[in-house]
Amino acid sequence: MAAHPADTRWMRLALSLGRRGMGRTWPNPAVGCVIVKDGHVVGRGWTQKGGRPHAETMALAQAGDTAQDATAYVTLEPCAHHGKTPPCVDALIAAKIARVVTALADPDPRVAGEGHAMLTAAGIEVETGCLKTQATDDHAGFLKRVTQSLPFITLKLATSFDGRIATASGESRWITGVAARRLVQLERAKHDAVLIGSGTAKADDPMLNVRDLGPMAQPVRVVCDTKLSSNPAGKLGQSANQSPVWMCHGPKADVTKWQVTGARLIACAATKGGHLNLTDTLQTLASQGLTRIFCEGGGQLAASLLAENLVDQLIGFTAGLTLGANGTPSIAALPNQSLTDYSRFTLTESRQIGPDLMHIWRKA
């Protein structure tokens, strides 16, 4: 059944509020909530940094007594379990909300329809599925972590028109323009973590922080480094006490030099070839609460993630120059296989960013 136009309007607002929490609420989902009475917003909220307070709590606090007989629009089924805070369902019932409209059910086994059932049992009208597709996209990281024990992986590629990330001599700054690079900063801010491989850590000595956007919560900076061969005296090691750095390493790595930096050292399984087992690595990161990870290279890590079908979204920034076959390719060699066996992605958005083209693709 199609949603009522008014419900769509208010749910769209709730979704926009929820997006304000992206990258800040893990391991909790970035939920938005709007409380409406007589056609007017009387309360609104979104999940706060660290996952609490929840969106419903924030909106109910703003609405106060006017929440009675109002409608609450929530982008995910309200929680029904006791954690560090009481269930949001109890708060909605206590506020005497008359109707709750949600975008989708929560697959978390601690909720899984129980929130909706408790509201219905309390005499509150419940409708779900309003803007479900949009909400599923927004909550993709949380949903994947809960249902597959894996984080949602976005692979970013900033390349020349012919898919190169550096000249033959290794020069790469800057292929794309200022506007594209600024948008990359925003994408970092919207994700829980930024991920690179040891090759990029050694070659670029990056900070991987969010810059030039004002005061922002910083993502976790994650390096896949089987042997912990990255320089602990580099920018990541030097700043690990100010902003989190997680080093994912193999079981035989010498952790001595990195232990003194303040970085978190995470032992992960290795393959027979001696490389990190990326599925195990991402499962480990998910178990630590990460839901959305922004991968920025390099080419070998990108190829490995694609080869293991672990990439959920591609974000490409393509510049109007060509570097030729002797330039560095954006993705290293992939296994030889039939064309039908390669992962397919569907274009969801494309637009000009300064002089460059941004294009976003979701796994088909």
Side-chain angles (χ1 to χ4, degrees):
M1 183 176 65
H4 189 279
D7 288 347
T8 300
R9 173 192 177 189
W10 299 123
M11 185 61 74
R12 189 173 289 116
L13 175 58
L15 287 166
S16 71
L17 292 171
R19 293 181 193 120
R20 297 185 182 188
M22 282 186 172
R24 300 167 178 81
T25 67
W26 62 276
N28 288 354
V31 175
C33 177
V34 177
I35 298 175
V36 178
K37 188 172 185 178
D38 299 327
H40 298 283
V41 174
V42 295
R44 61 178 193 155
W46 57 93
T47 310
Q48 298 298 293
K49 183 179 178 181
R52 294 176 183 82
H54 290 184
E56 298 94 322
T57 301
M58 299 295 292
L60 287 169
Q62 189 177 90
D65 292 341
T66 59
Q68 183 172 341
D69 297 325
T71 297
Y73 295 87
V74 193
T75 63
L76 186 69
E77 178 183 2
C79 63
H81 60 282
H82 284 271
K84 294 183 179 180
T85 56
C88 291
V89 165
D90 289 352
L92 291 165
I93 293 171
K96 299 182 180 179
I97 289 283
R99 181 170 174 256
V100 174
V101 179
T102 65
L104 70 163
D106 186 344
D108 188 322
R110 299 170 299 176
V111 185
E114 184 63 22
H116 289 152
M118 290 174 63
L119 292 170
T120 301
I124 297 173
E125 180 185 349
V126 175
E127 294 187 30
T128 191
C130 181
L131 298 185
K132 180 179 180 178
T133 299
Q134 294 91 322
T136 300
D137 285 345
D138 285 359
H139 293 305
F142 171 77
L143 297 174
K144 188 176 182 185
R145 178 178 175 270
V146 169
T147 61
Q148 301 180 45
S149 299
L150 286 167
F152 184 93
I153 300 297
T154 297
L155 174 60
K156 184 269 290 185
L157 300 171
T159 70
S160 62
F161 181 78
D162 53 345
R164 306 289 158 170
I165 58 173
T167 65
S169 64
E171 186 180 358
S172 61
R173 295 187 177 182
W174 296 99
I175 289 176
T176 54
V178 173
R181 298 199 300 272
R182 188 175 178 83
L183 193 54
V184 168
Q185 298 295 318
L186 180 60
E187 287 299 327
R188 287 181 182 178
K190 289 165 57 179
H191 286 74
D192 307 342
V194 178
L195 172 68
I196 61 170
S198 58
T200 299
K202 295 173 188 175
D204 297 347
D205 190 22
M207 274 292 287
L208 301 179
N209 59 339
V210 178
R211 302 182 293 274
D212 304 324
L213 297 180
M216 299 289 287
Q218 293 293 332
V220 177
R221 298 169 292 169
V222 183
V223 182
C224 285
D225 189 346
T226 309
K227 299 179 180 179
L228 283 180
S229 57
S230 303
N231 184 7
K235 293 176 182 176
L236 291 174
Q238 291 294 312
S239 62
N241 282 317
Q242 287 76 50
S243 184
V245 173
W246 294 4
M247 302 295 296
C248 296
H249 61 85
K252 297 181 180 180
D254 181 358
V255 302
T256 308
K257 292 181 180 180
W258 272 94
Q259 279 180 327
V260 298
T261 64
R264 184 173 182 181
L265 304 179
I266 301 176
C268 302
T271 65
K272 292 181 179 179
H275 302 291
L276 283 184
N277 180 316
L278 287 180
T279 298
D280 176 79
T281 299
L282 294 182
Q283 287 174 338
T284 301
L285 293 174
S287 73
Q288 300 303 305
L290 296 183
T291 66
R292 290 163 48 85
I293 297 179
F294 191 59
C295 179
E296 295 200 49
Q300 186 56 61
L301 179 58
S304 298
L305 289 168
L306 287 166
E308 296 188 35
N309 198 31
L310 293 169
V311 176
D312 300 287
Q313 180 172 258
L314 300 171
I315 295 184
F317 295 92
T318 303
L321 81 163
T322 57
L323 300 180
N326 56 342
T328 305
S330 60
I331 299 174
L334 290 167
N336 290 325
Q337 56 189 1
S338 170
L339 183 62
T340 57
D341 292 329
Y342 287 94
S343 297
R344 289 278 183 175
F345 295 81
T346 300
L347 182 66
T348 60
E349 182 182 353
S350 63
R351 56 191 168 102
Q352 185 172 341
I353 305 294
D356 306 312
L357 174 67
M358 181 189 75
H359 38 116
I360 301 178
W361 306 72
R362 280 287 182 103
K363 183 186 291 184

